[in-house]
Amino acid sequence: ICVDLDGVVCEYNFPKIVKDFFGIDLSAQAIFAYDLADVLGVSPTLIDLMFKEQVYGKPNLVEGAINTLEEWESKGYERIIFSNRVKYMGKEGLAKWLIDWQIPFSGIDGGQGKYDVHIDDSPSKLMMTDSKLKLLYDQPWNKRCLNIMEKLKRVYNWKEIRYKIS
């Protein structure tokens, strides 16, 4: 099972992060795309700088995520983390962070493996992996995804994810 972290296992108050970094008010509904650089009309370098300050801190965990990952661990499921955090932390730094915050995982990769299931809040990341079941975790920035290939299955919480995978 391939799992994304941010927007799926961990959630962030993106309007607050944007306010703190850029000094502007932004509603969650105003985030119309996965890429905040596109939403704000700024360079990806600025977004990287903003997120670099965020990724090392204490995670705000999505309800049900850790319990589900632990349950899958007890069932022997391989849980692979596919996260943009690698560009900030590297694989070793991300592994240490996951261990420090007791987030169960089996490995980390860049989405190049073959998966039975992939859970992500980014439609494009889901579509670039070789995965049988592609679960799109509902977020304001992916609500407008047209899913024209009809390969993405939208999920709204970890209870629903557990149901679809059991």
Side-chain angles (χ1 to χ4, degrees):
I1 300 172
C2 181
V3 182
D4 179 39
L5 286 176
D6 297 308
V8 178
V9 174
C10 306
E11 59 189 357
Y12 293 92
N13 183 341
F14 289 114
K16 182 180 179 335
I17 293 168
V18 168
K19 174 77 172 178
D20 292 348
F21 191 83
F22 290 104
I24 63 163
D25 290 315
L26 177 75
S27 71
Q29 292 72 29
I31 304 173
F32 61 85
Y34 178 79
D35 189 340
L36 272 177
D38 288 338
V39 172
L40 299 173
V42 299
S43 74
T45 306
L46 272 177
I47 297 300
D48 284 347
L49 187 60
M50 180 183 75
F51 279 124
K52 191 170 191 172
E53 296 175 8
Q54 299 297 318
V55 298
Y56 291 97
K58 179 182 179 188
N60 184 21
L61 299 168
V62 174
E63 184 180 338
I66 298 303
N67 291 342
T68 303
L69 292 171
E70 289 171 345
E71 178 184 311
W72 291 343
E73 183 177 33
S74 70
K75 290 181 176 181
Y77 293 0
E78 188 176 13
R79 292 127 317 126
I80 303 299
I81 301 297
F82 174 28
S83 174
N84 290 336
R85 285 176 178 256
V86 169
K87 71 180 175 181
Y88 306 111
M89 306 170 100
K91 285 185 180 181
E92 290 172 9
L94 177 54
K96 181 183 179 330
W97 184 87
L98 290 164
I99 291 164
D100 288 348
W101 294 106
Q102 300 177 355
I103 300 172
F105 72 105
S106 308
I108 298 169
D109 77 17
Q112 64 272 29
K114 263 189 156 175
Y115 315 101
D116 292 320
V117 180
H118 179 182
I119 309 156
D120 211 305
D121 62 322
S122 167
S124 62
K125 275 177 61 184
L126 282 166
M127 292 306 293
M128 69 183 254
T129 62
D130 184 1
S131 48
K132 294 175 188 169
L133 178 60
K134 299 171 185 290
L135 299 179
L136 178 63
Y137 197 88
D138 188 64
Q139 291 289 359
W141 47 87
N142 65 34
K143 286 190 184 299
R144 295 183 188 170
C145 174
L146 298 177
N147 193 19
I148 65 169
M149 305 292 287
E150 298 182 355
K151 294 188 177 192
L152 306 175
K153 305 296 180 207
R154 190 171 293 273
V155 291
Y156 297 89
N157 54 53
W158 277 88
K159 184 176 179 183
E160 190 174 350
I161 291 169
R162 289 169 84 157
Y163 175 77
K164 291 200 179 283
I165 294 178
S166 61

